[in-house]
Amino acid sequence: MKFFIDTANLDDIREAQEMGILDGVTTNPSLMAKEGISGKDRVMQHYKQICDIVGNDVSAEVISVKYDEMIREGEELAEIDDNIVVKIPMTADGVKAIKYFSEKGIRTNCTLIFSAGQALVAAKAGASFVSPFVGRLDDISTDGMELVEQIVTIFTNYGIETEVLAASVRHPMHIIQCAEIGADVMTAPLSVIKMLLHHPLTDSGLAKFLADHEKASLAVKK
Ligand code: E4P
């Protein structure tokens, strides 16, 4: 399963890259705003900086909602770097735009997916990725992971090549469940990915190893 990081924060992206676990980045307008990035030139520049760090897939979301504007904006985003994946919302105009980009060889990530039907339509239009939002479904007492499972089953049934990108991942168990189900990609904040590293037996085991080593060193010195 590919690990994407869901952020526009350059320090977090660098840290994940240095850990050697980073397969890509997803952003959205809220994450860009959180970093104080606004204005077309600044946004474009920021995406370029992210691409230069990652050297792999970077989802950049359009803020247009009308087909013609999505096309113009998406083409500009795609020109920033070969690794840009144009992120398009699941709307009728969005689906049409996905079809257009797929015919032009520009990769897309269909975002804000909350049902298997939406995922199927996006895939038929030629989306490279579909992003079911796990955490936001859980927030409204609906099992988000069940949706990921449903989409993986459907895509497997028909050999659909669109990758299932589990998004809105909120805790380490979401990541494990995505891997069990067979999601192609999961995207999460770095803080959530780092939670996977910890286990109390690792901490106590390491403390004991170091204490024993220290004891042995002192004995030699005496
Ligand atoms: C997906 O690409 C989105 O950027 C993201 O995963 C949304 O997550 P949230 O529900 O935690 O905002």
Side-chain angles (χ1 to χ4, degrees):
M1 183 171 72
K2 291 184 215 167
F3 274 34
F4 285 6
I5 182 176
D6 197 30
T7 187
N9 182 281
L10 298 181
D11 290 336
D12 279 3
I13 295 169
R14 267 189 217 103
E15 189 179 340
Q17 180 69 305
E18 281 162 13
M19 282 172 77
I21 53 148
L22 194 61
D23 299 304
V25 169
T26 50
T27 61
N28 64 42
S30 305
L31 293 171
M32 292 292 272
K34 195 172 158 197
E35 299 307 314
I37 312 295
S38 63
K40 191 174 158 190
D41 290 350
R42 189 70 194 88
V43 166
M44 296 284 185
Q45 200 183 51
H46 198 76
Y47 280 134
K48 183 62 188 157
Q49 280 179 289
I50 296 176
C51 289
D52 288 346
I53 299 170
V54 179
N56 215 328
D57 295 350
V58 174
S59 283
E61 186 162 344
V62 297
I63 44 162
S64 312
V65 288
K66 294 214 174 87
Y67 173 74
D68 291 342
E69 289 160 21
M70 275 183 188
I71 299 303
R72 200 173 323 121
E73 196 188 344
E75 283 182 333
E76 283 174 5
L77 288 169
E79 281 205 355
I80 297 173
D81 193 283
D82 287 347
N83 286 313
I84 288 284
V85 177
V86 181
K87 205 171 175 192
I88 309 267
M90 169 35 78
T91 61
D93 284 47
V95 171
K96 212 169 127 189
I98 288 167
K99 173 82 177 153
Y100 172 89
F101 287 125
S102 118
E103 282 168 355
K104 286 205 90 183
I106 293 174
R107 292 178 308 141
T108 54
N109 171 0
C110 187
T111 190
L112 293 166
I113 294 281
F114 293 97
S115 76
Q118 290 179 321
L120 194 52
V121 170
K124 279 190 83 72
S128 316
F129 299 91
V130 288
S131 289
F133 276 39
V134 177
R136 292 195 194 184
L137 279 169
D138 288 355
D139 288 345
I140 57 156
S141 308
T142 304
D143 189 345
M145 210 47 73
E146 209 172 281
L147 174 62
V148 176
E149 193 163 14
Q150 219 182 352
I151 299 171
V152 168
T153 303
I154 293 169
F155 285 11
T156 305
N157 284 349
Y158 295 100
I160 292 171
E161 284 175 12
T162 301
E163 293 187 57
V164 181
L165 193 171
S168 187
V169 162
R170 301 269 172 81
H171 54 74
M173 282 315 293
H174 272 157
I175 301 181
I176 303 302
Q177 287 163 348
C178 284
E180 283 174 340
I181 287 167
D184 300 286
V185 191
M186 76 80 208
T187 189
L190 181 60
S191 55
V192 173
I193 294 175
K194 280 164 96 177
M195 287 178 196
L196 291 175
L197 271 63
H198 299 294
H199 196 286
L201 290 179
T202 305
D203 298 342
S204 60
L206 180 60
K208 173 94 170 76
F209 285 154
L210 296 179
D212 288 346
H213 170 76
E214 185 63 20
K215 229 185 286 169
S217 308
L218 287 174
V220 169
K221 277 183 201 153
K222 273 182 191 167

